[in-house]
Amino acid sequence: MYVLGIETSCDETAASVVKDGREVLSNVISSSLSFHKQYGGVIPEIAFRKQLETITQVVNSALSEAKVGVEKVELISVTANPGLLGSLLVGVSFAKALGIAQGIPLLEIDHLYGHIYANFLSKVKFKFPCVALIVSGGHTSIFLMKDFDKIEILGSTLDDACGEAFDKVAKILELGYPGGPFIERLARRGRPLIKFRCSVTKQPLDFSFSGIKTAVLYYVRSHRQGKISYKSKCDIAASFQSSVIKALVEKSLLACKVKKIKTLLIGGGVAANNSLRQAFLNAAAHAKIAVYFPPHVLCMDNAAMIAGLGYRLFKKGWKGDKYAD
Ligand code: KG4
Ligand code: ZN
């Protein structure tokens, strides 16, 4: 069964054709990032205007790359929540119009559950239940997943999202946007010797990243004599990154322990970080837990994960927009 996925929750306009929930036949992503870079973050007004301009072409490219005519598409699966309102509206309106015009059913999908599903776009077959950690620019949450439509939240961030903290620290260090890849690159050359710590949360499975970001800001302010050196930036990046990864690993493994789960799925943009992946692999091996990540390209926002999850929910009898929160 061919499913057309559409994803426009943030700066990206993405479309993908996925066969039977696993085989990614096309994965087209057009980003308006270059138009936002000068502002140091995504400007909603620019994002949805660019999405309006590009969506028809992106969907056409996804269909032609997959060599699947629109008449063969049996389901349209579109991100409906969470995200930038104007951006989501572009995707949902396009999907609904296409569905009505072509007589194709439509499913509205939660973006975060899509990020978890990115793990299922591989040959690995998972057995439920699993614990899933989503670390993106807008969210940081731990879920207990009993099935594709039985997902329970165990903890989430009380303030900044993990990716947001990477972006803000990169801004403090006058690096580019999005900050995650810049921090990762500097961290590779730095020593994690500065004592930055993630705040302790009342509920152990919740997260808090705003304190560590502020600690970095104060450190930079108090140590800046003229311009901050490249070497100190590397040490700051390494120290910040290692503390954030430590918190993510500890809390995810705690969730597995509390819920007696042996499979851990990671997803979202920050899951592209190689130090994070290595730290999870080491800690999980020690705890005898199997940990999985999507390939790097599927950690970022994409429509293949939305098409894949749509397929699973459709097979379970889901219809229309009931699944979106
Ligand atoms: O999932 P995503 O593509 O979009 C959202 O749904 O938010 O995540 C984007 C976030 C950004 O905050 C970006 O800085 C972060 O993922 N990110 C990274 C890396 N690559 C992207 N963070 C740390 N290390 C990376 N290599
Ligand atoms: Zn995302």
Side-chain angles (χ1 to χ4, degrees):
M1 176 176 167
Y2 296 111
V3 179
L4 171 66
I6 296 177
E7 151 70 49
T8 60
S9 66
C10 191
D11 60 278
E12 72 296 332
T13 312
S16 164
V17 178
V18 174
K19 190 178 171 197
D20 299 335
R22 246 180 221 283
E23 202 183 329
V24 181
L25 302 182
S26 62
N27 184 27
V28 179
I29 305 169
S30 161
S31 169
S32 58
L33 208 56
S34 57
F35 296 92
H36 306 283
K37 274 189 171 156
Q38 58 177 306
Y39 305 105
V42 174
I43 307 296
E45 174 82 14
I46 298 176
F48 83 75
R49 282 177 190 274
K50 291 291 165 198
Q51 283 157 332
L52 268 179
E53 280 170 24
T54 50
I55 190 151
T56 309
Q57 207 181 334
V58 167
V59 169
N60 281 338
S61 299
L63 290 168
S64 66
E65 261 183 41
K67 298 191 174 58
V68 171
V70 72
E71 70 289 346
K72 284 197 188 150
V73 172
E74 288 178 66
L75 175 71
I76 300 172
S77 182
V78 60
T79 300
N81 208 36
L84 304 174
L85 187 60
S87 294
L88 290 168
L89 269 174
V90 174
V92 171
S93 310
F94 187 94
K96 283 194 175 173
L98 184 64
I100 291 166
Q102 298 288 334
I104 307 168
L106 175 124
L107 258 188
E108 294 191 351
I109 298 292
D110 186 294
H111 179 78
L112 293 186
Y113 302 159
H115 272 305
I116 303 177
Y117 191 82
N119 283 283
F120 292 81
L121 293 167
S122 72
K123 293 205 167 65
V124 183
K125 296 216 162 130
F126 300 104
K127 278 202 187 119
F128 294 120
C130 312
V131 163
L133 168 75
I134 295 308
V135 270
S136 74
H139 296 85
T140 306
S141 305
I142 303 183
F143 298 99
L144 175 64
M145 190 178 187
K146 294 183 180 159
D147 203 335
F148 294 111
D149 56 353
K150 290 196 181 71
I151 301 175
E152 184 188 314
I153 190 149
L154 301 177
S156 63
T157 183
L158 303 175
D159 38 59
D160 290 348
C162 185
E164 188 182 357
F166 272 86
D167 295 337
K168 287 179 175 172
V169 166
K171 201 169 181 181
I172 294 166
L173 297 178
E174 297 172 351
L175 308 169
Y177 178 85
F182 289 96
I183 299 281
E184 179 176 16
R185 225 168 295 143
L186 289 193
R188 243 178 267 143
R189 293 162 183 225
R191 299 158 306 165
L193 301 176
I194 311 164
K195 287 194 171 34
F196 297 134
R197 296 277 174 268
C198 290
S199 312
V200 174
T201 54
K202 206 162 148 198
Q203 298 295 336
L205 296 182
D206 282 339
F207 297 93
S208 169
F209 297 109
S210 107
I212 189 168
K213 164 210 69 192
T214 309
V216 172
L217 177 67
Y218 288 163
Y219 182 90
V220 168
R221 276 190 192 158
S222 64
H223 287 74
R224 200 195 299 262
Q225 289 152 339
K227 238 180 157 28
I228 191 155
S229 73
Y230 178 73
K231 195 166 161 294
S232 340
K233 282 189 184 181
C234 292
D235 290 346
I236 294 169
S239 305
F240 162 78
Q241 182 178 276
S242 74
S243 289
V244 168
I245 291 174
K246 186 167 174 277
L248 294 173
V249 169
E250 278 176 9
K251 285 168 189 268
S252 303
L253 293 192
L254 177 64
C256 291
K257 191 174 166 194
V258 170
K259 295 292 175 185
K260 300 186 173 59
I261 304 287
K262 288 287 172 193
T263 307
L264 174 60
L265 310 178
I266 320 280
V270 185
N273 185 297
N274 289 316
S275 303
L276 174 145
R277 292 164 93 102
Q278 198 52 55
F280 266 103
L281 286 170
N282 295 345
H286 195 254
K288 296 197 169 37
I289 287 169
V291 63
Y292 299 91
F293 315 90
H296 285 72
V297 66
L298 296 177
C299 289
M300 311 299 171
D301 290 344
N302 67 85
M305 64 190 195
I306 303 302
L309 179 56
Y311 169 83
R312 302 288 179 163
L313 295 176
F314 190 72
K315 288 285 169 191
K316 286 184 152 290
W318 286 89
K319 286 191 178 74
D321 57 5
K322 290 196 184 73
Y323 191 62
D325 291 335

